[in-house]
Amino acid sequence: MSNSNIIENPNNEEQEKLVQSQFNINVAFYVHLKAYNNSVREELEKRLSEVFFFTRGVDWKFDSFGIEKTGSRGTEVLGYFIFRAVELEKLQKLFVEEFKDYDNAIKITCSVAKYEKVEELFFELEI
């Protein structure tokens, strides 16, 4: 591998594609569940896909999804969804709309974390 030059601004098309957003907002939802059985994961995935995979008009990227069973870190069963999003209000409305009639849900809690890009550098490696 040869030496690489680190630059502050992209100087070619490939580097331009790598430029990251100035702000990144992570939104984490917990769906507190009454019970966990074999169909819970499938139902949560279905609701998730109906809301986010087929909805237009919300700038978001899916990060992760899972279910924490009782005893793993607490006493409740939690379905969690983590997204990177720009339009928080739209995302919250879509999430609440899809889960408001979900009988297995006790409540939904949400965390929003905003990150600001401090520095971004570019380099290429010759291999």
Side-chain angles (χ1 to χ4, degrees), residues 83-116:
F83 303 90
R84 283 178 273 159
V86 174
E87 301 169 285
L88 289 177
E89 286 84 25
K90 283 185 181 179
L91 186 64
Q92 289 168 328
K93 286 178 185 174
L94 288 171
F95 203 92
V96 169
E97 184 65 30
E98 184 58 34
F99 282 90
K100 69 181 179 185
D101 66 343
Y102 184 40
D103 291 336
N104 196 22
I106 299 168
K107 65 180 174 179
I108 297 174
T109 56
C110 180
S111 164
V112 178
K114 184 176 182 181
Y115 301 94
E116 184 174 352

Side-chain angles (χ1 to χ4, degrees), residues 6-10 15-22 117-123:
I6 297 177
I7 58 173
E8 290 185 23
N9 296 307
Q15 290 174 352
E16 285 285 342
K17 291 178 184 177
L18 292 172
V19 173
Q20 298 186 37
S21 301
Q22 181 65 25
K117 180 168 56 174
V118 175
E119 181 180 48
E120 185 172 29
L121 302 173
F122 300 87
F123 63 92

